[in-house]
């Protein structure tokens, strides 16, 4: 039995402990905002926050999150999340939208760590998130916009 | 087969489930019977495209799938304009599958592709909006006892000035839906447009910025199984034998079946399906498979240059021109690799059989009528018993548009073999996607050009070898589009094509033939211009003459935007490319330097003429995305066959996608126009490759002879 919290709720999972956290979140908890894109930590579509840090849930066995707090796009909150989502909406960042939960989770984690990121900071933090629609120009601009909002 | 419900993993503590699309069986059937096409019960229908709810919400049913290219917003804008709706009251939803009512007027069947969504719907959707408006006005006239001609509609408010009467749409919706629809409603003069041509916010942005947008992979049905199919690593291979003992021993795996497409594993959840599939030991029969390597295929193609090829275009006398004296002749071969589309959401579908025997399919249906027919055939039910519920799709780039629906045939075969007792979600992994074929074909281009002593291009010969997308054998326009119709005034010209036949399935890839013809033509013309001592912009303008004003218009505009001829930072060069595809004209300039022996693209300027711009925000987004998608492909991507024909690449580690640090800045100018609108999903792609390649040639002196650029021996 693995126990952890998912968006603040207690979870107890007694299936295969090797099950990647991604599939526990999607199949068992029924939260589908977190996406599958590659399964090998290459695309970032499955990014969640594990104890506040961005994590690729597709390569995170559920057994390793015992006692942790997991937050997904459905539960992400706080000033950074609000600023990022507002900037995303303001710039109409998404195209197909499939990668965007992961992009937003990575962007929120970046702003929590670095309130005023440079372009190089953005490259470092976001290079693991693929967008096949190549919405990168707007992702970059939205992160700068969100940082400006947070600065007040 | 009997599928036994194994004990589901115990999960507790989740009171509320958010964001999950749980489709109980029979749900869609009920919805359709209620006429509830937009997903909200009892909404008055004005016509096949427009619903107005009693709360005033206007729902536009999109006959085109939304996978990021913006048709929900675009088609809704056309309706809202003529309806005089307020944008805040407008929504969009997928129309059901119907090859007649929802036909793409350029295809004759329902389908999305070829950048046609706006082009074929422009009049139709405006008419749908104008019809609904007339019905609302008629309802107001009847209710208020005033002449319809005195009623105005502005931003969702219906008013009669003389009597002071005023209403929203909702109050009148029920009555309006019963009013006769005018045959030929009068459409607005474009000068009166208030929504068309403005940067309206996209209708799907909020759902896609909060994780709430539902894609096929998110559809969960009661009691649903997850199925995956083990596919061969060789094209044309079939199953010889299977040892499934280890797979069946995986907890959660329910059954294993051999199908024409491979070996299907059925499981209680995704992880068990993945584990079960990995545990299969399959022996493949390679007797009909492609066993040549990419190098062997390339050499075989090269030998075909000796053949004459099918003549697609001829002007003047090419042979005589090349025989002339005092010419500079340049010959160039360019090798293009197979390309996977790699949409962010791999292919998937959810199929379920209802109590009445009908089947619901939830998928990213790009050709819904084709998908529907495939399911009816494979599952052995009447066509009328199959419903397609089109979902948001996580990209396509051409991948989901398949005549005959081979992917859906696999999903349906998996479902049929299961006995159809429980709903089935059929999932492809990224590996299935990269190795699944239906690629942009490999092509070889042979180009030969001659310059006279003044540097003018006097002769051009181009021979293209590769698979036909339309499987037309002898000649296929999509092999030569963008080459046979090049806009430049070259007096002696011949373009030929030789079609090859391989067991590697091929498909259109974002911009179809233009993916390679645009590269070849724009690279070679640029090389010839340079050899002739001409400027890339001025030289092209001279070749365009006065018969190609829209080509010249975007080229002139992009040169202005980029301050062509102005100073460039040290160590950088700029490349130009101009290409028309799908009746949209795009010119791009790329500024490039060398970083670690490879091209680094700093900035791209784009000018696009797509006729009347419907939503410039969406147009700019498609240009930005087209630049990034095309750039990733020319820098990194190829699917290759190793020795013995085994597919080499498998996932994003070796089939690279452009990443954010590799994305250039992009600046887009949209040309104002009152011409009929054309599409923007594809036309941004073709110019980026040659623009970068041309800058690269100017940096290094080396023309691009092979794509991707990362595979070439770079200077
Ligand atoms: S699905 Fe986890 S990184 Fe791609
Ligand atoms: S928006 Fe389509 S993959 Fe990012």
């Amino acid at each position: 039995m693995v126990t952890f919290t998912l968006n603040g709720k207690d979870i107890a999972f007694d299936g295969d402990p090797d099950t990647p956290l991604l599939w526990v979140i999607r199949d068992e908890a029924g939260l589908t905002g977190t996406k599958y894109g590659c399964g090998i930590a290459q695309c970032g579509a499955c990014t969640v926050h594990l104890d506040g840090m961005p994590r690729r849930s597709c390569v995170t066995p559920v057994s390793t999150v015992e006692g942790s707090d997991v937050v997904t796009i459905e539960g992400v909150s706080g000033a950074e999340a609000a600023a990022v989502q507002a900037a995303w909406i303001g710039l109409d960042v998404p195209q197909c939208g499939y990668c965007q939960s992961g992009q937003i989770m990575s962007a929120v984690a970046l702003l929590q760590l670095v309130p005023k990121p440079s372009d190089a900071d953005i490259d470092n933090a976001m290079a693991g998130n693929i967008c096949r629609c190549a919405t990168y120009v707007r992702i970059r601009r939205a992160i700068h916009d969100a940082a400006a909002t947070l600065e007040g | 087969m009997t599928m036994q419900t194994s004990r589901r993993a115990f999960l507790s503590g989740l009171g509320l489930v958010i964001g999950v699309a749980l489709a109980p069986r029979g749900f869609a059937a009920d919805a359709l019977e209620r006429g509830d096409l937009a997903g909200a019960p009892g909404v008055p229908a004005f016509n096949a495209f427009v619903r107005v709810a009693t709360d005033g919400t206007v729902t536009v049913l999109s006959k085109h799938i939304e996978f990021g290219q913006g048709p929900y917003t675009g088609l809704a804008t056309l309706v809202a304009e003529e309806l005089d709706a307020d944008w805040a009251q407008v929504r969009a939803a997928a129309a059901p599958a119907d090859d007649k009512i929802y036909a793409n007027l350029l295809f004759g069947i329902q389908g999305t592709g070829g950048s046609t969504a706006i082009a074929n719907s422009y009049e139709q959707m405006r008419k749908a909006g104008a019809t609904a408006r007339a019905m609302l006005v008629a309802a107001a006239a009847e209710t208020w006892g005033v002449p319809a001609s005195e009623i105005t509609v502005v931003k969702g408010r219906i008013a009669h000035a003389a009597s002071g009467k005023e209403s929203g749409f909702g109050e009148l919706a029920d009555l309006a839906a019963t009013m006769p629809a005018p045959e030929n409603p009068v459409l607005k003069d474009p000068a009166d447009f208030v929504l068309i041509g403005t940067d309206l916010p996209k209708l799907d942005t909020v759902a896609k910025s909060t994780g709430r947008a539902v894609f096929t992979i998110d559809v969960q049905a009661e009691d649903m199984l997850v199925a995956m199919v083990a596919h061969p690593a060789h094209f044309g291979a079939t199953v010889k034998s299977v040892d499934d003992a280890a797979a069946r021993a995986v907890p959660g795996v329910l059954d294993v079946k051999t199908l024409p497409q491979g070996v299907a594993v059925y499981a209680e959840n995704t992880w068990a399906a993945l584990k079960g599939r990995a545990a299969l030991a399959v022996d493949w029969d390679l007797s009909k498979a492609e066993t040549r390597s990419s190098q062997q295929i390339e050499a075989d193609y090269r030998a075909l240059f000796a053949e004459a090829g099918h003549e697609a275009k001829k002007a003047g006398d090419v042979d005589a021109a090349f025989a002339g004296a005092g010419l500079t002749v340049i010959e160039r071969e360019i090798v293009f690799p197979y390309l996977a589309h790699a949409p962010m959401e791999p292919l998937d579908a959810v199929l379920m059989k209802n109590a009445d025997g009908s089947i619901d399919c939830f998928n990213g249906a790009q050709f819904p009528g084709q998908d529907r027919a495939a399911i009816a055939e494979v599952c052995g039910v009447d066509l009328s018993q199959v419903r397609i519920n089109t979902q948001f799709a996580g990209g396509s780039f051409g991948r989901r548009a398949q005549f005959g629906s081979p992917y859906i045939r696999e999903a349906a075969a998996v479902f049929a073999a299961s006995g159809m007792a429980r709903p089935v979600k059929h999932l492809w992994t990224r590996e299935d996607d990269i190795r699944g074929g239906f690629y942009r074909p490999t092509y070889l281009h042979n180009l030969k050009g001659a310059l006279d002593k003044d540097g003018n291009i006097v002769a051009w010969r181009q021979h293209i070898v590769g698979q036909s997308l339309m499987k037309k054998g002898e000649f296929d326009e999509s092999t030569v589009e963008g080459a046979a119709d090049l806009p430049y005034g070259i007096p002696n010209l011949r373009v030929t094509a030789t079609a090859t036949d391989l067991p590697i399935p091929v498909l259109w890839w974002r911009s179809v033939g233009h993916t390679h013809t645009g590269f070849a033509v724009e690279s070679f013309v640029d090389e010839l211009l340079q050899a002739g001592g001409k400027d890339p912009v001025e030289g092209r303008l001279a070749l365009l003459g006065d018969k190609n004003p829209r080509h010249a218009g975007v080229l002139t505009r992009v040169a202005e935007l980029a301050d062509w001829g102005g100073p460039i930072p040290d160590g950088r060069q700029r490349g130009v490319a101009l290409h028309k595809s799908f009746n949209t004209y795009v010119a791009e300039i790329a500024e490039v330097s060398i970083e670690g022996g490879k091209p680094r693209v700093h900035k791209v300027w784009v000018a696009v003429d797509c006729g009347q711009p419907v939503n410039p925000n969406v147009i700019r987004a498609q240009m930005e995305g087209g630049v990034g998608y095309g750039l990733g492909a020319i820098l990194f991507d190829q699917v290759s066959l190793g020795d013995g024909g085994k597919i080499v690449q498998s996932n994003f580690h070796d089939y690279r996608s452009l990443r954010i640090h590799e994305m250039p800045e992009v600046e887009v100018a949209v040309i104002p126009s009152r011409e009929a609108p054309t599409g923007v999903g594809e036309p941004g792609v073709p110019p980026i490759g040659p623009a970068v390649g041309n800058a690269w040639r100017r940096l290094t002196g080396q023309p691009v002879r092979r794509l991707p650029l990362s595979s070439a021996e770079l200077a």
Side-chain angles (χ1 to χ4, degrees):
Chain A
M1 177 84 80
V2 183
T3 59
F4 59 100
T5 73
L6 181 58
N7 297 334
K9 298 195 177 96
D10 292 330
I11 297 287
F13 176 77
D14 80 342
D16 181 351
D18 292 341
T19 307
L21 178 60
L22 171 65
W23 300 115
V24 175
I25 291 169
R26 289 184 54 86
D27 285 358
E28 308 301 331
L31 298 185
T32 58
T34 308
K35 297 295 194 263
Y36 163 84
C38 70
I40 59 165
Q42 282 289 318
C43 78
C46 64
T47 305
V48 299
H49 293 175
L50 184 65
D51 295 328
M53 297 300 285
R55 182 68 87 92
R56 309 297 181 228
S57 64
C58 69
V59 292
T60 304
V62 67
S63 59
T64 66
V65 307
E66 172 65 41
S68 296
D69 294 322
V70 177
V71 173
T72 68
I73 185 74
E74 291 90 347
V76 72
S77 61
E80 290 85 1
V84 164
Q85 285 176 312
W88 244 248
I89 292 164
L91 286 172
D92 270 323
V93 172
Q95 290 189 22
C96 82
Y98 192 80
C99 73
Q100 298 294 346
S101 298
Q103 304 280 2
I104 288 169
M105 295 306 279
S106 290
V108 170
L110 166 64
L111 288 175
Q112 285 170 347
L113 215 63
V114 185
K116 195 136 184 54
S118 64
D119 280 333
D121 293 331
I122 293 173
D123 284 347
N124 284 332
M126 304 300 293
N129 286 84
I130 290 173
C131 175
R132 289 294 291 158
C133 301
T135 60
Y136 301 123
V137 171
R138 293 183 190 216
I139 288 173
R140 183 182 303 281
R141 218 181 297 153
I143 293 173
H144 285 309
D145 283 5
T149 308
L150 288 168
E151 217 179 21
Chain B
M1 177 181 94
T2 53
M3 289 241 180
Q4 309 228 320
T5 310
S6 76
R7 198 175 67 90
R8 277 178 76 80
F10 171 70
L11 186 80
S12 66
L14 269 188
L16 185 65
V17 170
I18 315 158
V20 56
L22 186 68
R25 280 195 266 176
F27 155 81
D30 293 350
L32 285 171
E33 271 162 30
R34 290 196 310 267
D36 167 21
L37 300 174
V43 178
F46 285 56
N47 53 54
F49 300 100
V50 183
R51 303 273 179 280
V52 180
T54 48
D55 69 354
T57 307
V58 174
T59 302
V60 175
L61 298 188
S62 174
K63 62 182 186 174
H64 293 292
I65 182 172
E66 175 63 78
F67 41 58
Q69 81 286 34
Y72 277 20
T73 302
L75 301 190
T77 302
L78 301 176
V79 169
E81 177 69 65
E82 297 289 348
L83 184 56
D84 284 311
D86 183 34
W87 188 242
Q89 74 190 120
V90 179
R91 313 279 181 272
D98 192 311
D99 274 336
K100 286 200 187 70
I101 298 173
Y102 297 113
N104 180 324
L105 302 177
L106 296 170
F107 294 178
I109 59 165
Q110 190 175 6
T112 302
S115 298
T116 57
I118 293 290
N120 94 94
S121 310
Y122 187 56
E123 289 247 344
Q124 185 183 37
M125 298 308 286
R126 287 172 64 202
K127 263 190 166 169
T131 305
R133 182 190 190 278
M135 292 160 78
L136 282 165
V137 168
E142 187 177 304
T143 308
W144 300 336
V146 302
S149 60
E150 291 174 9
I151 292 174
T152 57
V153 187
V154 178
K155 273 195 131 187
R157 298 300 298 174
I158 305 170
H160 181 250
S163 65
K165 302 263 191 206
E166 202 188 314
S167 170
F169 290 178
E171 301 89 304
L172 293 165
D174 281 323
L175 179 61
T178 67
M179 291 288 158
E183 276 284 302
N184 279 307
V186 183
L187 301 182
K188 282 185 185 173
D189 182 327
D192 299 330
F193 286 162
V194 291
L195 299 178
I196 293 175
T198 65
D199 281 344
L200 296 172
K202 286 173 67 185
L203 296 174
D204 49 347
T205 292
V206 174
K208 289 175 175 179
S209 302
T210 51
R212 291 205 302 265
V214 173
F215 298 82
T216 299
I217 198 172
D218 305 329
V219 173
Q220 326 247 59
E222 274 173 22
D223 208 24
M224 184 179 77
L225 305 174
V226 177
M228 289 189 190
V229 173
H231 297 109
H234 290 78
F235 290 106
T238 50
V239 178
K240 194 189 277 174
S241 64
V242 189
D243 177 355
D244 62 12
R248 287 179 184 276
V250 171
V253 169
L254 301 173
D255 207 346
V256 177
K257 293 267 178 187
T258 297
L259 305 171
Q261 292 89 349
V263 183
V265 174
Y266 301 85
E268 288 290 353
N269 58 57
T270 314
W271 179 239
L274 280 163
K275 253 183 137 173
R277 186 174 75 161
L280 286 173
V282 184
D283 198 10
W284 301 97
D285 176 356
L286 301 186
S287 59
K288 293 203 186 73
E290 175 61 68
T291 53
R292 286 178 292 175
S293 68
S294 290
Q295 282 90 340
Q296 288 169 311
I297 292 171
E298 184 182 316
D300 291 347
Y301 277 23
R302 188 167 292 117
L304 293 171
F305 284 139
E307 296 182 2
H310 184 94
E311 191 165 270
K313 170 82 182 180
K314 180 175 187 278
D317 186 339
V318 172
D319 295 331
F322 276 116
L327 301 177
T328 305
V329 175
I330 297 178
E331 207 170 337
R332 187 68 56 222
E333 180 191 280
I334 309 175
V335 180
F336 295 89
Y338 283 109
L339 290 176
H341 307 72
M344 203 69 215
E345 180 188 17
L347 299 181
D348 44 15
V350 174
L351 288 133
M352 63 174 83
K353 195 162 193 172
N354 304 301
D356 65 0
S358 66
I359 292 175
D360 272 291
C361 177
F362 297 78
N363 69 319
Q366 197 166 346
F367 287 168
Q370 299 272 307
D371 290 355
R372 191 176 175 212
I375 293 164
E377 188 188 318
V378 175
C379 295
V381 300
D382 191 76
L383 191 62
S384 64
Q385 294 285 91
V386 179
R387 271 173 303 267
I388 300 290
N389 305 270
T390 302
Q391 305 295 301
F392 278 132
S396 172
F397 316 116
R399 186 62 184 84
R400 300 175 199 274
Q402 294 187 280
F403 285 117
S405 299
Y407 165 71
I408 283 293
R409 270 171 203 277
E410 175 176 311
V414 165
F415 182 53
S418 77
M420 303 191 273
R422 294 171 63 179
V424 170
K425 179 185 285 181
H426 178 254
L427 281 182
W428 270 23
T429 58
R430 180 59 58 198
E431 287 80 4
D432 294 313
D433 172 59
I434 300 295
R435 311 188 128 194
F438 296 96
Y439 303 134
R440 195 290 301 276
T442 274
Y443 289 101
L444 262 65
H445 283 237
N446 185 281
L447 297 131
K448 189 175 165 187
L451 302 170
D452 67 13
K453 60 179 187 343
D454 299 321
N456 298 312
I457 305 172
V458 293
W460 175 292
R461 198 214 167 297
Q462 182 169 11
H463 189 167
I464 306 169
V465 174
Q467 282 165 275
S468 158
L469 293 178
M470 307 298 284
K471 291 236 181 347
K472 277 190 179 171
E474 256 250 297
F475 180 62
D476 176 353
E477 294 84 356
S478 73
T479 306
V480 297
E481 60 180 2
D485 55 345
L486 90 176
Y488 302 123
I490 298 172
N492 303 290
L493 179 83
R494 186 161 75 222
V495 178
T496 54
T498 300
T500 57
D501 193 14
L502 280 73
I504 302 175
V506 292
L507 189 65
W508 30 58
W509 187 100
R510 195 173 185 177
S511 81
V512 196
H514 303 279
T515 60
H516 56 104
T517 59
F519 191 93
V521 168
E522 282 299 295
S523 300
F524 196 53
V525 82
D526 202 78
E527 187 176 355
L528 292 175
L529 286 171
Q530 191 181 22
K534 317 270 190 207
D535 175 80
V537 172
E538 291 306 319
R540 279 182 176 79
L541 287 172
L543 286 169
L544 289 169
D546 53 12
K547 292 205 189 69
N548 297 286
R550 296 178 76 182
H551 281 93
V554 289
L555 185 55
T556 306
R557 183 75 186 95
V558 81
E560 263 169 35
L561 197 66
D563 186 23
W564 178 255
I568 310 177
D570 274 354
R572 297 188 185 182
Q573 282 289 351
R574 287 176 170 189
V576 179
L578 165 67
H579 199 76
K580 176 185 116 175
S581 58
F582 311 97
N583 296 315
T584 291
Y585 303 75
V586 182
E588 297 178 10
I589 294 178
E591 189 168 294
V592 182
S593 68
I594 307 177
E595 227 175 72
K598 293 191 177 144
R600 160 90 190 150
V601 185
H602 300 272
K603 171 133 193 197
V604 177
W605 294 267
V606 182
V608 52
D609 176 355
C610 54
Q612 166 72 55
V614 172
N615 185 323
N617 180 32
V618 171
I619 296 167
R620 287 193 301 274
Q622 286 305 299
M623 293 301 117
E624 294 160 10
V627 162
Y629 190 76
L631 183 59
I634 67 124
L635 290 180
F636 308 120
D637 289 340
Q638 62 180 324
V639 176
S640 48
L641 306 184
D643 283 340
K646 194 168 169 196
I647 310 162
V648 175
Q649 290 76 15
S650 62
N651 203 320
F652 285 133
H653 65 292
D654 53 10
Y655 193 83
R656 277 273 272 109
S657 185
L658 195 82
R659 293 177 183 272
I660 193 166
H661 61 285
E662 294 148 343
M663 181 75 192
E665 252 185 86
V666 181
E667 194 177 333
V668 181
V670 180
I671 306 280
S673 171
R674 289 281 190 240
E675 299 278 343
T678 51
V680 293
E682 294 165 280
V685 173
I688 186 62
V692 171
N694 291 338
W696 182 252
R697 196 187 70 251
R698 285 163 198 276
L699 279 166
T700 63
Q702 293 301 312
V704 176
R705 298 180 172 88
R706 173 184 299 278
L707 290 177
L709 276 163
S710 57
S711 74
E713 273 119 65
L714 300 179

